[in-house]
Amino acid sequence: MPPIGGWLYDAETPRLFVSASPRALPPMRPKSVFDHAILIAGALLMCGPMFALFLSTTHSGAALQDQGLSLSFGPELIANYTRLFNAEGGFLGGITVYSLLWNSFVLGAGLAGVTVALSLMAAYALVYFRPRGAGLIFWLLLLTLMLPLEARFLPTYTVAADLGLVNTHAGLILPLAASGIGTFFFRQFLQNVPDALLESARLDGAGPIKFFKDILVPLSWPMASALFLVTFVNGWNQYLWPVMVTSDESAYTVVRGLQFFGRTSLNGIMLACVAVLPPAVLLVIFQRKFVKGLFDGVH
Protein backbone atom coordinates (compact mmCIF):
# COMPACT_ATOMS: atom_id res chain seq x y z
CA MET A 1 0.00 0.00 0.00
CA PRO A 2 2.28 2.82 -1.26
CA PRO A 3 1.83 6.39 -0.06
CA ILE A 4 0.51 8.84 -2.62
CA GLY A 5 0.79 12.58 -1.99
CA GLY A 6 0.76 12.36 1.79
CA TRP A 7 -2.17 9.96 1.77
CA LEU A 8 -2.26 6.13 1.83
CA TYR A 9 -3.96 4.36 -1.03
CA ASP A 10 -5.16 0.75 -1.02
CA ALA A 11 -4.70 -0.65 -4.54
CA GLU A 12 -7.17 -3.49 -4.00
CA THR A 13 -9.84 -1.34 -2.39
CA PRO A 14 -9.98 2.14 -4.02
CA ARG A 15 -10.24 4.08 -0.82
CA LEU A 16 -8.28 6.90 0.79
CA PHE A 17 -6.93 6.57 4.31
CA VAL A 18 -5.70 9.34 6.53
CA SER A 19 -1.93 9.61 6.60
CA ALA A 20 -0.18 8.22 9.64
CA SER A 21 1.33 11.64 10.38
CA PRO A 22 -1.27 14.32 9.71
CA ARG A 23 -0.25 17.94 10.13
CA ALA A 24 -1.56 19.18 13.44
CA LEU A 25 -3.53 22.42 13.51
CA PRO A 26 -2.06 25.19 15.64
CA PRO A 27 -3.81 25.59 18.97
CA MET A 28 -6.36 28.38 19.22
CA ARG A 29 -5.10 31.02 21.60
CA PRO A 30 -7.50 32.85 23.94
CA LYS A 31 -6.67 36.19 22.33
CA SER A 32 -7.44 34.79 18.88
CA VAL A 33 -10.78 33.43 20.11
CA PHE A 34 -11.62 36.84 21.59
CA ASP A 35 -10.65 38.64 18.36
CA HIS A 36 -12.81 36.33 16.26
CA ALA A 37 -15.72 36.77 18.65
CA ILE A 38 -15.47 40.56 18.33
CA LEU A 39 -15.37 40.32 14.52
CA ILE A 40 -18.36 37.98 14.40
CA ALA A 41 -20.34 40.20 16.77
CA GLY A 42 -19.52 43.27 14.68
CA ALA A 43 -20.52 41.52 11.46
CA LEU A 44 -23.84 40.42 12.97
CA LEU A 45 -24.49 43.91 14.31
CA MET A 46 -23.89 45.52 10.91
CA CYS A 47 -25.47 42.90 8.64
CA GLY A 48 -28.25 41.70 10.93
CA PRO A 49 -30.74 44.56 10.33
CA MET A 50 -30.33 44.39 6.55
CA PHE A 51 -30.74 40.60 6.60
CA ALA A 52 -33.92 41.01 8.66
CA LEU A 53 -35.23 43.48 6.08
CA PHE A 54 -34.51 41.01 3.29
CA LEU A 55 -36.29 38.19 5.11
CA SER A 56 -39.28 40.46 5.65
CA THR A 57 -39.53 41.12 1.89
CA THR A 58 -40.21 37.43 1.32
CA HIS A 59 -43.60 37.83 3.03
CA SER A 60 -46.69 39.65 1.82
CA GLY A 61 -47.28 43.34 2.43
CA ALA A 62 -50.19 42.54 4.73
CA ALA A 63 -47.99 40.30 6.87
CA LEU A 64 -45.39 43.05 7.08
CA GLN A 65 -47.98 45.56 8.31
CA ASP A 66 -49.57 43.19 10.80
CA GLN A 67 -46.50 41.41 12.19
CA GLY A 68 -43.65 43.77 11.43
CA LEU A 69 -40.19 42.52 10.52
CA SER A 70 -39.76 38.76 10.24
CA LEU A 71 -36.74 36.56 10.80
CA SER A 72 -37.94 33.66 8.64
CA PHE A 73 -38.22 33.06 4.90
CA GLY A 74 -41.63 33.52 3.37
CA PRO A 75 -43.29 32.22 0.19
CA GLU A 76 -43.56 35.56 -1.65
CA LEU A 77 -39.91 36.17 -2.64
CA ILE A 78 -40.23 35.80 -6.42
CA ALA A 79 -43.67 37.39 -6.63
CA ASN A 80 -42.67 40.44 -4.58
CA TYR A 81 -39.48 41.20 -6.48
CA THR A 82 -41.15 40.58 -9.86
CA ARG A 83 -43.78 43.13 -8.89
CA LEU A 84 -41.08 45.56 -7.79
CA PHE A 85 -39.15 45.42 -11.07
CA ASN A 86 -42.38 45.88 -13.04
CA ALA A 87 -43.57 48.82 -10.92
CA GLU A 88 -43.52 52.44 -12.05
CA GLY A 89 -43.36 55.42 -9.74
CA GLY A 90 -43.15 59.18 -9.80
CA PHE A 91 -45.64 61.85 -10.81
CA LEU A 92 -45.41 60.94 -14.49
CA GLY A 93 -44.77 57.22 -14.05
CA GLY A 94 -41.28 57.54 -15.49
CA ILE A 95 -39.41 56.05 -12.53
CA THR A 96 -38.58 52.35 -12.75
CA VAL A 97 -36.14 50.22 -10.79
CA TYR A 98 -34.11 49.69 -13.96
CA SER A 99 -33.68 53.43 -14.61
CA LEU A 100 -32.83 54.09 -10.95
CA LEU A 101 -30.17 51.37 -10.89
CA TRP A 102 -28.73 52.49 -14.23
CA ASN A 103 -28.44 56.14 -13.16
CA SER A 104 -26.82 55.14 -9.86
CA PHE A 105 -24.39 52.86 -11.68
CA VAL A 106 -23.45 55.62 -14.13
CA LEU A 107 -22.96 58.04 -11.24
CA GLY A 108 -20.88 55.59 -9.19
CA ALA A 109 -18.75 54.19 -12.02
CA GLY A 110 -18.35 57.54 -13.78
CA LEU A 111 -17.43 59.36 -10.59
CA ALA A 112 -14.97 56.62 -9.62
CA GLY A 113 -13.32 56.53 -13.05
CA VAL A 114 -12.95 60.31 -13.38
CA THR A 115 -11.75 60.66 -9.77
CA VAL A 116 -9.09 57.97 -10.18
CA ALA A 117 -7.86 59.49 -13.47
CA LEU A 118 -7.70 63.06 -12.12
CA SER A 119 -6.09 62.03 -8.83
CA LEU A 120 -3.41 59.92 -10.52
CA MET A 121 -2.55 62.64 -13.05
CA ALA A 122 -2.45 65.32 -10.33
CA ALA A 123 -0.15 63.20 -8.17
CA TYR A 124 2.05 62.43 -11.20
CA ALA A 125 2.47 66.13 -11.92
CA LEU A 126 3.26 66.97 -8.29
CA VAL A 127 5.82 64.18 -7.84
CA TYR A 128 7.64 64.07 -11.18
CA PHE A 129 7.28 67.56 -12.67
CA ARG A 130 7.66 69.40 -9.33
CA PRO A 131 6.04 72.71 -10.37
CA ARG A 132 6.86 75.84 -8.43
CA GLY A 133 4.84 75.84 -5.24
CA ALA A 134 4.08 72.11 -5.47
CA GLY A 135 3.92 71.83 -1.69
CA LEU A 136 1.46 74.71 -1.43
CA ILE A 137 -0.67 73.24 -4.21
CA PHE A 138 -0.75 69.89 -2.45
CA TRP A 139 -1.85 71.38 0.86
CA LEU A 140 -4.52 73.44 -0.91
CA LEU A 141 -5.83 70.18 -2.37
CA LEU A 142 -5.99 68.69 1.11
CA LEU A 143 -7.80 71.78 2.40
CA THR A 144 -10.64 71.00 -0.01
CA LEU A 145 -11.47 68.11 2.34
CA MET A 146 -12.53 70.74 4.87
CA LEU A 147 -15.00 72.23 2.37
CA PRO A 148 -17.48 69.48 1.42
CA LEU A 149 -19.97 69.84 -1.38
CA GLU A 150 -22.78 70.57 1.07
CA ALA A 151 -21.02 73.82 2.02
CA ARG A 152 -20.89 75.04 -1.60
CA PHE A 153 -24.17 73.84 -3.04
CA LEU A 154 -25.39 77.16 -4.43
CA PRO A 155 -22.25 78.23 -6.37
CA THR A 156 -21.71 74.68 -7.63
CA TYR A 157 -25.29 74.43 -8.85
CA THR A 158 -25.01 77.86 -10.48
CA VAL A 159 -21.94 76.75 -12.44
CA ALA A 160 -23.60 73.46 -13.42
CA ALA A 161 -26.73 75.29 -14.59
CA ASP A 162 -24.71 77.84 -16.60
CA LEU A 163 -22.89 74.98 -18.34
CA GLY A 164 -26.14 73.18 -19.13
CA LEU A 165 -25.35 70.19 -16.92
CA VAL A 166 -28.66 70.02 -15.05
CA ASN A 167 -30.45 66.67 -15.52
CA THR A 168 -27.40 65.13 -17.17
CA HIS A 169 -24.99 62.41 -16.11
CA ALA A 170 -22.09 64.86 -16.50
CA GLY A 171 -23.79 67.20 -14.05
CA LEU A 172 -24.02 64.39 -11.52
CA ILE A 173 -20.38 63.37 -11.91
CA LEU A 174 -18.12 66.34 -12.65
CA PRO A 175 -18.79 68.55 -9.58
CA LEU A 176 -17.88 65.61 -7.32
CA ALA A 177 -14.88 64.30 -9.25
CA ALA A 178 -11.99 66.30 -7.79
CA SER A 179 -10.62 64.42 -4.77
CA GLY A 180 -7.93 65.70 -2.44
CA ILE A 181 -7.75 62.39 -0.58
CA GLY A 182 -7.25 60.50 -3.85
CA THR A 183 -4.38 62.78 -4.82
CA PHE A 184 -2.87 62.30 -1.37
CA PHE A 185 -2.88 58.50 -1.62
CA PHE A 186 -1.45 58.47 -5.14
CA ARG A 187 1.22 61.01 -4.17
CA GLN A 188 2.31 58.84 -1.25
CA PHE A 189 2.43 55.82 -3.53
CA LEU A 190 4.38 57.49 -6.35
CA GLN A 191 6.95 58.86 -3.92
CA ASN A 192 7.85 55.26 -3.08
CA VAL A 193 8.41 54.26 -6.72
CA PRO A 194 12.17 53.68 -7.23
CA ASP A 195 13.98 56.39 -9.18
CA ALA A 196 15.71 53.63 -11.13
CA LEU A 197 12.53 53.11 -13.10
CA LEU A 198 12.56 56.72 -14.23
CA GLU A 199 16.23 56.52 -15.22
CA SER A 200 15.66 53.28 -17.12
CA ALA A 201 12.74 54.84 -18.98
CA ARG A 202 14.87 57.82 -19.95
CA LEU A 203 17.64 55.56 -21.23
CA ASP A 204 15.09 53.69 -23.35
CA GLY A 205 13.88 56.97 -24.83
CA ALA A 206 10.50 56.97 -23.10
CA GLY A 207 8.92 60.38 -22.69
CA PRO A 208 6.69 61.55 -19.83
CA ILE A 209 3.49 60.21 -21.41
CA LYS A 210 4.96 56.80 -22.23
CA PHE A 211 6.51 56.52 -18.76
CA PHE A 212 3.17 57.37 -17.19
CA LYS A 213 1.13 55.03 -19.40
CA ASP A 214 3.42 52.01 -19.57
CA ILE A 215 5.05 52.05 -16.12
CA LEU A 216 3.21 54.12 -13.54
CA VAL A 217 -0.34 53.17 -14.47
CA PRO A 218 0.29 49.38 -14.21
CA LEU A 219 2.16 49.89 -10.93
CA SER A 220 -0.69 52.01 -9.56
CA TRP A 221 -3.39 49.52 -10.51
CA PRO A 222 -3.93 48.08 -6.97
CA MET A 223 -4.13 51.56 -5.48
CA ALA A 224 -6.43 52.71 -8.30
CA SER A 225 -8.69 49.71 -7.72
CA ALA A 226 -9.03 50.52 -4.02
CA LEU A 227 -9.81 54.18 -4.70
CA PHE A 228 -12.26 53.17 -7.44
CA LEU A 229 -14.22 50.94 -5.04
CA VAL A 230 -14.37 53.57 -2.30
CA THR A 231 -15.45 56.29 -4.73
CA PHE A 232 -17.98 54.02 -6.43
CA VAL A 233 -19.70 53.32 -3.10
CA ASN A 234 -19.62 57.04 -2.28
CA GLY A 235 -21.15 57.94 -5.63
CA TRP A 236 -23.76 55.19 -5.40
CA ASN A 237 -24.91 56.48 -2.00
CA GLN A 238 -25.04 60.17 -3.00
CA TYR A 239 -28.33 61.83 -2.18
CA LEU A 240 -28.12 65.60 -1.68
CA TRP A 241 -26.32 66.49 -4.90
CA PRO A 242 -28.60 64.37 -7.15
CA VAL A 243 -31.58 66.07 -5.47
CA MET A 244 -30.10 69.47 -6.36
CA VAL A 245 -29.07 68.81 -9.95
CA THR A 246 -31.86 66.52 -11.21
CA SER A 247 -35.50 67.45 -11.67
CA ASP A 248 -36.29 65.06 -14.51
CA GLU A 249 -37.63 61.73 -13.23
CA SER A 250 -35.60 59.81 -15.84
CA ALA A 251 -32.38 61.08 -14.21
CA TYR A 252 -33.20 60.06 -10.63
CA THR A 253 -30.82 57.74 -8.79
CA VAL A 254 -31.84 54.78 -6.68
CA VAL A 255 -31.24 56.57 -3.35
CA ARG A 256 -33.53 59.41 -4.38
CA GLY A 257 -36.07 57.06 -5.90
CA LEU A 258 -36.74 55.41 -2.54
CA GLN A 259 -39.26 58.11 -1.64
CA PHE A 260 -41.40 57.32 -4.68
CA PHE A 261 -41.70 53.65 -3.74
CA GLY A 262 -42.57 54.30 -0.10
CA ARG A 263 -39.67 54.10 2.31
CA THR A 264 -41.69 52.16 4.91
CA SER A 265 -43.77 50.08 2.48
CA LEU A 266 -42.88 46.66 1.09
CA ASN A 267 -41.70 48.12 -2.24
CA GLY A 268 -39.51 50.65 -0.45
CA ILE A 269 -37.90 47.98 1.73
CA MET A 270 -37.27 45.76 -1.31
CA LEU A 271 -35.72 48.66 -3.23
CA ALA A 272 -33.48 49.37 -0.25
CA CYS A 273 -32.30 45.74 -0.29
CA VAL A 274 -31.65 45.92 -4.03
CA ALA A 275 -29.79 49.23 -3.65
CA VAL A 276 -27.35 47.72 -1.14
CA LEU A 277 -26.54 44.72 -3.33
CA PRO A 278 -24.25 46.12 -6.13
CA PRO A 279 -21.68 47.92 -3.93
CA ALA A 280 -21.71 45.04 -1.44
CA VAL A 281 -21.01 42.50 -4.20
CA LEU A 282 -18.16 44.62 -5.57
CA LEU A 283 -16.55 44.93 -2.15
CA VAL A 284 -16.84 41.20 -1.48
CA ILE A 285 -15.38 40.24 -4.87
CA PHE A 286 -12.51 42.72 -4.82
CA GLN A 287 -11.79 42.85 -1.09
CA ARG A 288 -8.25 41.47 -1.50
CA LYS A 289 -7.33 44.10 -4.08
CA PHE A 290 -9.01 46.72 -1.93
CA VAL A 291 -6.93 45.88 1.13
CA LYS A 292 -3.74 45.50 -0.92
CA GLY A 293 -4.32 48.86 -2.61
CA LEU A 294 -4.85 50.69 0.67
CA PHE A 295 -1.79 49.00 2.19
CA ASP A 296 0.40 49.97 -0.79
CA GLY A 297 -0.99 53.48 -0.74
CA VAL A 298 0.01 54.24 2.84
CA HIS A 299 3.34 52.40 2.65
Side-chain angles (χ1 to χ4, degrees):
M1 189 166 53
I4 298 179
W7 297 78
L8 298 181
Y9 183 77
D10 190 346
E12 297 179 357
T13 305
R15 187 175 50 183
L16 288 175
F17 297 89
V18 179
S19 175
S21 58
R23 180 177 298 178
L25 294 176
M28 185 72 74
R29 295 176 299 175
K31 184 179 183 301
S32 179
V33 174
F34 178 76
D35 293 342
H36 281 77
I38 293 295
L39 291 175
I40 293 173
L44 292 176
L45 183 63
M46 290 185 291
C47 299
M50 183 54 63
F51 187 63
L53 286 178
F54 170 72
L55 291 178
S56 300
T57 62
T58 63
H59 297 269
S60 64
L64 179 63
Q65 292 180 354
D66 295 339
Q67 305 172 9
L69 296 181
S70 175
L71 297 179
S72 62
F73 277 99
E76 303 293 333
L77 174 63
I78 297 178
N80 286 344
Y81 281 91
T82 301
R83 191 183 316 113
L84 172 69
F85 280 90
N86 291 329
E88 295 180 350
F91 300 107
L92 302 177
I95 300 178
T96 64
V97 175
Y98 298 102
S99 66
L100 295 176
L101 292 176
W102 171 249
N103 290 330
S104 290
F105 175 79
V106 171
L107 173 57
L111 176 62
V114 175
T115 298
V116 169
L118 290 178
S119 300
L120 181 55
M121 289 189 290
Y124 175 58
L126 290 173
V127 173
Y128 286 95
F129 288 92
R130 295 184 178 90
R132 181 176 300 177
L136 177 61
I137 295 173
F138 174 67
W139 286 109
L140 288 176
L141 287 173
L142 290 184
L143 283 177
T144 60
L145 300 176
M146 308 299 294
L147 190 66
L149 182 65
E150 292 78 3
R152 47 186 171 88
F153 263 156
L154 292 180
T156 304
Y157 177 80
T158 301
V159 173
D162 292 341
L163 295 177
L165 299 180
V166 177
N167 290 318
T168 64
H169 289 148
L172 286 169
I173 294 170
L174 295 180
L176 305 173
S179 173
I181 192 66
T183 305
F184 168 76
F185 277 113
F186 276 121
R187 177 179 177 270
Q188 298 299 110
F189 174 78
L190 295 181
Q191 284 181 333
N192 294 324
V193 174
D195 293 336
L197 290 178
L198 178 59
E199 298 300 329
S200 299
R202 286 175 175 174
L203 292 175
D204 290 339
I209 296 179
K210 188 173 180 60
F211 174 69
F212 175 77
K213 178 174 65 72
D214 294 341
I215 297 179
L216 290 185
V217 170
L219 287 177
S220 305
W221 189 249
M223 181 63 208
S225 301
L227 181 61
F228 184 93
L229 287 175
V230 172
T231 312
F232 178 87
V233 174
N234 182 43
W236 182 276
N237 293 328
Q238 279 292 324
Y239 174 73
L240 291 178
W241 178 243
V243 168
M244 290 285 295
V245 80
T246 57
S247 57
D248 188 352
E249 292 181 352
S250 61
Y252 286 177
T253 60
V254 67
V255 177
R256 186 179 182 188
L258 283 171
Q259 61 180 313
F260 297 97
F261 285 84
R263 284 169 288 187
T264 58
S265 67
L266 179 61
N267 280 347
I269 295 175
M270 286 192 295
L271 184 57
C273 294
V274 172
V276 171
L277 193 59
V281 170
L282 281 178
L283 287 175
V284 169
I285 294 176
F286 299 105
Q287 59 177 331
R288 291 184 181 274
K289 290 187 177 181
F290 175 74
V291 174
K292 184 179 185 301
L294 290 182
F295 181 82
D296 292 342
V298 299
H299 291 77

